[in-house]
Amino acid sequence: MPESEAENDHGLVLRSQRGEAHAFGLLVQRHMQRAYFTALALTGSPEDARDLSQEAFVRAYRAIAKFDAAAGAFFTWYYRILRNLCLNLRRDRSRRARPFAEIGESVMEQVAAATEEDPAVLAERNELQDALWRALASLKPAACEVIVLKDFQGMSYKEIAEALHCPVGTVMSRLFEARRRLRELMENYL
C-alpha cells in the first residue's frame, strides 16, 4: 500500500497545516465521494452537491490551520462546513423549492442508459427511489440530516453528535422520530 493511503487523516491534517497542499489533496480524494453523497442527500441536486462539496473543501483548506486535529475527526469538522453550505442553499431556495424528485430524473436517466436490466424492474426501482427522495424532502431538515448521516453515511451516534454539536441522546431521539416519520411516508411501498 502506498504511504499516502496508509497515512491516517490526523497525519494528513498535520501535514496540511504545515503547508503541504498535496496532503490536503489526499484528504479530498479520501472523502470526496462521501462528501458528494452527503450533499446530494441534503440538497437533492447532483449539480449543487458537486459544487457545495467542492466549496466546502475550499473553505476547509483555507481554515485548516484553525482545525484542532486532536479534538475530532477531519470529516466531522468538514461535515459542519458542508452542512452549513447545504442548509444555506436549502434556506435560500425554499421560496422557489425544487422537488426532491427532480434529482431522480437525471440520475435515473444515467442509470437507465448504463444498465440493461428488465425495464419493469428498473421502473419499479425508479418509483421506489423517487418516493424515497420525495419522502426525505418532506422531512424537516434536521430529520433528513440525521437519517443521511446515520443510514446513508454510516456515522456512529458519537460522530453525528460531534458533527451536530448535540448530545448523543438527542441524536438518538431525532433519529427515532425521523425514521418513524419516514416509515409513515413510505407506508405504501413497504
Side-chain angles (χ1 to χ4, degrees):
M1 177 183 301
E3 180 181 336
S4 59
E5 289 181 31
E7 188 171 7
N8 64 24
D9 283 359
H10 182 77
L12 292 173
V13 166
L14 293 177
R15 287 176 47 203
S16 298
Q17 290 175 330
R18 288 191 299 259
E20 292 184 43
H22 177 70
F24 192 81
L26 294 173
L27 284 168
V28 172
Q29 287 176 354
R30 185 174 289 171
H31 297 288
M32 61 194 249
Q33 185 175 14
R34 184 178 186 192
Y36 170 77
F37 284 111
T38 299
L40 178 62
L42 292 174
T43 64
S45 163
E47 294 81 20
D48 290 337
R50 196 172 19 256
D51 291 346
L52 293 177
S53 59
Q54 289 175 1
E55 176 63 24
F57 279 119
V58 169
R59 291 184 184 199
Y61 182 72
R62 289 180 184 151
I64 195 74
K66 298 175 188 171
F67 173 57
D68 182 3
F74 170 78
F75 190 80
T76 302
W77 175 72
Y78 166 82
Y79 171 75
R80 282 187 229 126
I81 297 169
L82 179 62
R83 172 185 183 251
N84 288 337
L85 289 171
C86 291
L87 293 179
N88 288 343
L89 180 78
R90 280 181 76 157
R91 184 193 63 226
D92 294 345
R93 291 188 174 167
S94 64
R95 290 190 196 110
R96 50 189 167 94
R98 182 176 160 209
F100 226 149
E102 285 182 22
I103 66 163
E105 292 180 25
S106 64
V107 172
M108 296 315 286
E109 287 170 7
Q110 293 170 7
V111 170
T115 62
E116 296 181 14
E117 293 185 39
D118 178 358
V121 172
L122 189 56
E124 186 175 317
R125 186 182 316 147
N126 291 349
E127 182 181 352
L128 180 60
Q129 187 172 6
D130 288 346
L132 180 59
W133 284 122
R134 283 192 304 274
L136 282 170
S138 70
L139 295 175
K140 292 179 181 176
C144 177
E145 179 177 44
V146 74
I147 286 177
V148 167
L149 294 176
K150 183 64 179 167
D151 297 331
F152 291 20
Q153 295 298 321
M155 292 174 74
S156 69
Y157 291 119
K158 184 180 176 200
E159 289 171 327
I160 297 170
E162 289 173 8
L164 301 180
H165 293 285
C166 65
V168 170
T170 301
V171 170
M172 294 171 76
S173 64
R174 280 185 192 168
L175 185 60
F176 175 80
E177 185 59 32
R179 285 177 174 164
R180 185 193 62 74
R181 180 68 185 132
L182 186 60
R183 192 175 310 113
E184 287 174 3
L185 294 169
M186 295 296 294
E187 189 175 272
N188 292 337
Y189 298 92
L190 300 177

